[in-house]
Amino acid sequence: GLFITTDGGKTWKNAIRGEGISTQYLTAGSINVSNISLMDGDFTNFRWDKKGINAFYKGEYGVNLSKFVRFDHFGIYGVNSESGADYTPVTEEDIWRDATFGMTWKGFFIKNKYAAGYVSVDSIDDIVVSDGAHNRIKIGNIGTLQAPVFGIRISDATGAPVMETVDDGSLW
């Protein structure tokens, strides 16, 4: 093993031995990690690398690197992506577009995707049902941030409103 001293050589402590490394006397100003993997038997369940801390989905046939929860400088979010663990967002908007849930500096969201469409609940648009091109149903603030109107808006396939509540709650 390897021994260390903290009192100028009067006593020695076992630092590295066959069982592993003792971190009792380890101090660090900063730790630079290029890749730390936590394994569960044969599978990497968690990985900490330059993309962030990733928790991978473990299914019936092992770990799915395309389905994960990541914690990085944008926040925490869940992705089920074709690009797998290589998914690297450039902006927060990438996460809001691609992830199924998240909490970023911009706010929070949860989204259920149906091909191009989705149903979402988030801190910016409240509740939205979208066909991918247009919001078809919006519940919450249907006005602006400066002049909020709380209600429901139902739109057609072009995005034009066909029914919505006005400020007093009645429909038009």
Side-chain angles (χ1 to χ4, degrees):
L2 179 65
F3 293 85
I4 60 171
T5 182
T6 59
D7 58 9
K10 292 180 186 173
T11 60
W12 292 86
K13 305 290 181 184
N14 197 348
I16 299 177
R17 54 192 181 277
E19 298 170 329
I21 300 172
S22 171
T23 59
Q24 182 179 4
Y25 300 104
L26 179 67
T27 59
S30 64
I31 299 173
N32 185 359
V33 257
S34 61
N35 187 356
I36 295 176
S37 295
L38 301 178
M39 309 286 280
D40 176 18
D42 297 330
F43 303 109
T44 299
N45 288 333
F46 297 92
R47 185 168 54 204
W48 185 356
D49 58 21
K50 65 183 178 182
K51 294 180 183 100
I53 300 172
N54 302 279
F56 296 105
Y57 175 77
K58 185 174 180 184
E60 184 178 345
Y61 302 107
V63 173
N64 180 348
L65 297 178
S66 296
K67 191 173 186 179
F68 57 88
V69 174
R70 180 175 290 162
F71 177 51
D72 65 14
H73 61 286
F74 291 119
I76 188 165
Y77 52 93
V79 173
N80 189 1
S81 169
E82 295 296 320
S83 61
D86 289 335
Y87 175 78
T88 307
V90 176
T91 66
E92 234 174 312
E93 283 68 34
D94 294 341
I95 295 165
W96 279 64
R97 180 192 64 237
D98 301 333
T100 55
F101 67 89
M103 188 178 315
T104 69
W105 297 109
K106 184 176 169 181
F108 72 88
F109 67 94
I110 186 164
K111 189 183 307 182
N112 198 6
K113 295 182 180 184
Y114 305 97
Y118 59 88
V119 176
S120 72
V121 177
D122 67 62
S123 57
I124 296 173
D125 290 323
D126 303 320
I127 300 170
V128 171
V129 176
S130 174
D131 62 12
H134 303 287
N135 290 345
R136 301 296 294 273
I137 300 171
K138 184 165 183 349
I139 302 172
N141 181 9
I142 58 174
T144 65
L145 289 175
Q146 295 75 25
V149 175
F150 297 99
I152 300 171
R153 176 180 293 134
I154 299 175
S155 302
D156 64 16
T158 68
V162 294
M163 182 172 56
E164 72 181 20
T165 58
V166 292
D167 200 26
D168 67 2
S170 58
L171 293 173
W172 67 264

